[in-house]
Structures are given as C-alpha cells and as structure tokens.
C-alpha cells in the first residue's frame, strides 16, 4: 500500500508555507464541484436532539439532503448554494451550533464517544470536551490555530488516543499512594497501562479516519500567535501549589487522585484531572508561540522544525498548572465500540459510507437523547431507560438503513467524496464501493492518490483501494478492474494480518 503523500514535495527539507488558512468552516464555505461545502465542528461529536433536527433541516433546505460524518466526528453539508452562507448561519446559531464565529474552525476535539456509558475507561472525557471547547472559544489567541489542529481526549480505553492529536489528554485513573511523584518512578505508570479492556471492534482494529484530516478541502492555517518560543527546563511544575486532584510534590504524604496524561509530540506530562482542559489550551498556546518563532507556517505540532518545540513547561507554569514529566510510552490502543447496544442506556450505529440522510438524522434524534458522532463515521445515541429499550430502538434504526450489526460487511467500509463532488477524483468511488462478501479489515475507497479520510494504520491493517482512471483501481497496489473489485476486496479484507 503506498504511503500517504508527504506534506511537502521534498519531505527531507524543512516545511515552509506562505499561504493562510483555507480550511472550510460553517461560515467559510468551500467551492466544490457539487456546490458549496460547509464543515461544522462538533467538539466530541456532541449534539442535542434539537441540534440534530436543525442539521437535518439545513441539509434538506440548503444542501443535498445529506450530511457527511468526518474522521473527526464533525459534519459536512454539501451541495449548498452560492449565497446561502448567511441563511445557514441563521439556522445554526440559535441552536448553539455556532458559539463563536471567530473560533468556529478551531473547535476540533475528538473524545472517546462511549465515555461514561459502558463501564470502560477511566473518566468521562465528554466533560473535559465541554470545558475545553468553552476555554478555546473564550481565549482570543486560540482563534489563530489552524483548522487542522486537533485535540484528542481518550478516557483510557485507547479508542482515540492513536488518532494523531496535536494535543492529547488520556485519563489516568487513580494514581497509587506509593508513587513518589517523580518522573520514571514506576515503569508501569505510563498511559499504555491505563487502557481499559477493549470492547469488540465492529469496524476493524484500526480507526477509519486519518489523524488530522477531515476531507478533501484546501488546507491552511491562520496567522500564528505573537511571542517568541521559550525552552523547556528539567521540571514542569507550575508556580502555584498542586491542585487537590493533581500530582504530589516528591515525598508528600497521601494518595494521588484521578489525573490525566498530557501528550504533545514526544513529551508526556501528568496533570490533575481538574486541570486537564486548561493544560490542553496552554499546550495549544505554546504551539502558537513556537510556530510564530519558527516562521515556517506550521499547522500541526509535527510540522515544527527542530529547535522550535513548544515551551510546555513554561506554558503550564504560567497557567498555574502543576505537572510532572513522565517517560514517553506508546499510547493505549483499544477497539472502537461495535455497532449495537452500548452499556445499559445507549447504542452505537454506523453511517453507510459515512453519509446520513435527513431522515436518518431525525431517526437518531427521535428519542430525545444526546447524539455523539464518532471518528468512525457513526453515532452513539444515549438516554435509554434500559438495555431492552436500547435494543428496541436499535432494531428500528436498522430499518432506516443504518449499520447496526458488527458482522455487517459494510462495517468498516469508507470512501472519499469522489465524483461528481470532487474535481480531483478519477471515479465515482461511492457508487463503486463494495464490501466484498464478508466483514474483515477496514477498507477505504479513494478517488485519487490523496486518499482523503483514509484510516490510520500501517500496511496490512486496512485495505487501500485507489482509483487510477476510468474503470481501473489499485487494491493494495494491485491493478484491478471495476468488475473485479468485489472479489479483490473480499480477498484483501479477509487475508490474515500476519501475512500482509
């Protein structure tokens, strides 16, 4: 499987950009072949029933009658008219879907969608997401973040920790009373050891979403924040005393309470759970300072050149956040929740090829519960009194054409926009998409070599289907005609990982 094309034509050279942020939003529409495109950021994918109905109305009245769920759990409206921006804003704003016009493109927050619902994970990171969103919108400088900068909040189960966040928070659970609070004091005290048992994965072991990508739009970044980058010191303790949930000073008495790991690039810090959202914002602001000093137009943390790392120590200290550096470890990895009943009071379904009709949206909201759109292009619906009620509603949603069974061959099948919506696409990949004959590895159909929205993961963990011309594809690099796609995809999806 060919790798994702590099960000720059010459990946060995430092990245330098000389253009601003062209990433679409709800107010800045992108011109596509099928009309205007609006991308609406939904932190943690969270929607009230009323907001779901508003989106359905917007899709029907202004767009093509559908919404696309992105690999960040955001929503795209397609087929919009040339001059409908103001009318769209008038629909979205009263429903609370545009809390800050100046920050609407930087509210990129992915959170474990099953947090607090199924007994797994170490904390309800959905609460962190709400606080983080409010903090982002309240701080003037954070409006300078790129529309591609990503916050990831994992509740410890590892379902989203690997999605390539620029700033990642991982719930740490309760810290042991015997931990002396120094970096490296316990070999097992890294994020990887905090993962809860993985739930059954209905869409394959890798996540169907490129880290930091939401689709086939133009990319860019707003102007960087002001200031000069600082340097990290040997300690990351804030100037103020630790919060009651936070790290103890070395040698202090008493147990640790629930906390969080803050990951930025290769560096990891422990902070109090109550400080986690503020720590994430402080890290983002440190990135802006570093990007300004680097002068290369970096959109993401990984694009900063050597010697221009964010001053996380100083940023956390200035925010009054007590933090301890810990040895970096691999983040936890767990499966996405399978389609079906989730815990005792919720359910999870997938959108076929990541698209939801207005009718399907209203069906998701019919019971009045909270809806959480997921990075796997699905939806978690909450608020049922018991498993019986959730199972009954799951059967009803199956009748609307949603994927409700983890054994469905369509679970894990994704596709980019393709023709006729994207000018760069070489094929109508949604029409050509086939699951093969059974479920298996995730598979992604791409209209061109950019592979917009493809799953994360190395060769052998997902099936790469790329259009090369009229009626022709590459399936994991093997030339395949359209008429042979079903057999080729079926074989690729069911091939054992150990042989790929």
């Amino acid at each position: 499987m060919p790798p994702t094309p590099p960000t720059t034509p010459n990946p060995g050279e430092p990245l330098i950009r000389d253009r601003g942020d062209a990433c679409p939003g709800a107010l800045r529409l992108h011109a596509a072949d099928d009309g205007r495109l609006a991308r609406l950021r939904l932190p943690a994918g969270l929607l009230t029933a009323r907001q779901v109905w508003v989106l359905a109305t917007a899709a029907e009245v202004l767009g093509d009658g559908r919404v696309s769920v992105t690999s960040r759990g955001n929503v795209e409206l397609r087929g919009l008219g040339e001059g409908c921006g103001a009318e769209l804003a008038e629909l979205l704003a009263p429903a609370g879907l545009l809390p800050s016009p100046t920050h609407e493109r930087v509210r990129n927050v992915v959170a474990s969608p099953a947090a607090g619902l199924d007994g797994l994970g170490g904390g309800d990171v959905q609460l962190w997401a709400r606080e983080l969103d409010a903090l982002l919108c309240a701080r003037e400088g954070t409006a300078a973040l790129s529309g591609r900068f990503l916050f990831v909040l994992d509740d410890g189960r590892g379902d989203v920790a690997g999605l390539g966040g620029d700033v990642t928070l991982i719930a740490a659970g309760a810290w042991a009373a015997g931990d002396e609070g120094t970096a490296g004091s316990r070999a097992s005290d890294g994020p990887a050891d905090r993962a809860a048992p993985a739930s059954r994965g209905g869409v394959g072991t890798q996540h169907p979403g490129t880290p930091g990508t939401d689709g086939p739009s133009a990319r860019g970044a707003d102007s960087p924040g002001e200031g000069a980058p600082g340097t990290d010191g040997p300690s990351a303790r804030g100037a103020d005393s630790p919060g009651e949930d936070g790290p103890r000073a070395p040698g202090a008495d008493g147990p640790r309470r629930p906390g969080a790991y803050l990951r930025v690039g290769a560096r990891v810090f422990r902070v109090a759970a109550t400080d986690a959202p503020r720590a994430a914002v402080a890290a983002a602001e440190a990135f802006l300072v570093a990007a300004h000093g680097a002068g290369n137009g970096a959109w993401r943390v990984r694009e900063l050149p050597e010697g221009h790392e964010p001053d996380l120590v100083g940023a956390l200290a200035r925010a009054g956040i007590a933090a301890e550096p810990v040895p970096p470890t691999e983040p936890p990895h767990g499966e996405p929740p399978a389609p079906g009943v989730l815990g005792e009071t919720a359910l999870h379904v997938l959108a076929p090829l990541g698209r939801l009709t207005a009718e399907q949206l209203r069906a998701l909201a019919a019971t009045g519960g909270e809806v959480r759109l997921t990075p796997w292009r699905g939806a978690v619906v909450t608020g049922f009194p018991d498993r019986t009620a959730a199972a009954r509603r799951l059967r009803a949603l199956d009748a609307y054409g949603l994927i409700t069974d983890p054994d469905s061959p369509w679970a894990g099948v994704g596709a980019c926009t393709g023709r006729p919506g994207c000018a760069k696409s070489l094929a109508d990949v949604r029409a050509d998409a086939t699951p093969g004959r059974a479920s298996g590895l995730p598979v992604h159909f791409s209209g061109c070599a950019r592979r917009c929205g493809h799953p994360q993961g190395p060769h052998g963990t997902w099936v790469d289907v790329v259009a090369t011309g009229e009626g022709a594809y590459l399936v994991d690099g093997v030339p395949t005609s359209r008429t042979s796609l079903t057999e080729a995809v079926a074989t690729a999806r069911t091939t054992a990982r150990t042989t790929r």
Side-chain angles (χ1 to χ4, degrees):
M1 179 179 69
T4 304
T7 306
T8 59
N10 300 300
E13 298 179 1
L15 179 146
I16 299 176
R17 292 198 181 94
D18 58 2
R19 58 189 173 94
D21 186 0
C23 202
L27 300 178
R28 177 187 287 181
L29 306 187
H30 171 70
D33 274 17
D34 58 349
R36 295 281 170 170
L37 176 153
R39 182 176 300 153
L40 181 61
R41 270 70 173 187
L42 305 172
L46 179 62
L47 290 164
T48 65
R50 180 193 172 209
Q51 289 172 333
V52 175
W53 277 77
V54 168
L55 284 178
T57 299
E60 280 184 331
V61 174
L62 302 176
D64 64 3
R66 297 172 180 262
V67 301
S68 297
V69 183
T70 77
S71 60
R72 294 182 173 187
N74 293 325
V75 156
E76 288 183 349
L77 295 163
R78 303 190 67 94
L80 300 171
E82 183 73 25
C84 75
E87 189 175 356
L88 177 62
E90 289 173 1
L91 273 174
L92 300 178
L97 291 169
L98 279 178
S100 173
T102 56
H103 292 71
E104 60 100 0
R105 290 181 298 126
V106 306
R107 301 167 66 226
N108 291 302
V109 182
V110 170
S112 297
L117 297 175
D118 60 359
L120 302 179
D124 191 349
V125 294
Q126 295 283 327
L127 300 178
W128 286 353
R130 291 167 171 83
E131 183 178 350
L132 174 58
D133 183 34
L135 290 169
L136 281 174
C137 292
R139 298 184 70 85
E140 181 178 354
T142 55
L145 290 169
S146 163
R148 294 174 56 78
F149 193 92
L150 178 62
F151 297 89
V152 170
L153 316 182
D154 193 293
D155 70 355
R157 75 183 68 209
D159 59 341
V160 298
L163 292 185
D166 294 283
V167 175
T168 298
L169 293 174
I170 303 174
W175 288 330
D179 182 1
E180 289 301 314
T182 57
S185 60
R186 290 195 300 156
S188 64
D189 203 21
D193 298 297
R194 300 298 184 183
S199 59
R200 181 182 181 189
V203 294
T205 60
Q206 295 296 328
H207 309 295
T210 307
T213 64
D214 258 353
S217 62
R219 276 98 165 147
D222 284 321
S223 58
E226 296 181 354
T231 58
D232 285 347
S235 170
R237 293 194 177 280
D240 295 341
S241 59
E244 64 177 11
D245 288 349
R248 295 181 290 116
D253 294 330
R256 293 184 183 277
R257 296 179 182 176
Y261 293 99
L262 170 72
R263 299 180 63 94
V264 181
R267 287 177 291 174
V268 183
F269 298 85
R270 289 187 302 204
V271 300
T274 51
D275 287 335
R278 290 198 303 121
V281 172
E285 292 176 330
F287 162 77
L288 287 173
V289 174
H292 178 71
N296 69 329
W299 300 332
R300 311 290 305 275
V301 168
R302 64 174 178 261
E303 296 173 351
L304 291 171
E306 186 176 354
H308 289 275
E309 292 77 17
D311 177 17
L312 300 175
V313 173
L316 292 168
R318 287 188 293 274
I321 297 171
E324 294 178 85
V326 299
T329 62
E330 287 297 314
H333 175 76
E335 302 289 346
V341 175
L342 190 62
E344 297 295 321
T345 61
L347 61 81
H348 179 219
V349 297
L350 298 173
L353 297 179
R355 295 274 275 165
L356 292 168
T357 66
E359 183 182 35
Q360 288 171 331
L361 281 169
R362 293 190 178 101
L364 291 173
T367 56
E370 180 179 278
V371 175
R372 303 174 183 179
L373 299 182
T374 76
W376 314 290
R377 297 179 171 89
V380 169
V381 183
T382 71
F384 297 99
D386 51 41
R387 286 183 63 87
T388 300
R392 185 184 310 117
R393 189 59 193 165
L394 188 70
R395 291 191 294 271
L397 292 175
D398 182 74
Y400 282 90
L402 296 167
I403 300 169
T404 62
D405 183 350
D407 294 324
S408 167
W410 285 100
V413 180
C416 71
T417 297
R419 290 180 179 172
C422 177
K424 290 182 171 22
S425 181
L426 301 175
D428 185 350
V429 291
R430 292 182 181 273
D432 291 346
T434 172
R437 297 189 180 89
S439 59
L441 291 175
V443 56
H444 187 76
F445 290 79
S446 303
C448 72
R450 294 187 305 160
R451 296 175 172 82
C452 294
H454 69 75
Q456 181 179 350
H459 175 67
T461 60
W462 59 282
V463 179
D464 181 38
V465 184
V466 183
T468 58
E470 198 66 42
Y473 284 85
L474 294 177
V475 178
D476 281 346
V478 178
T480 306
S481 67
R482 180 189 289 121
T483 56
S484 302
L485 271 180
T486 297
E487 186 64 34
V489 169
T491 300
R493 293 192 77 186
T494 55
T495 299
R497 294 164 203 264
T498 56
T499 66
R500 292 171 64 78

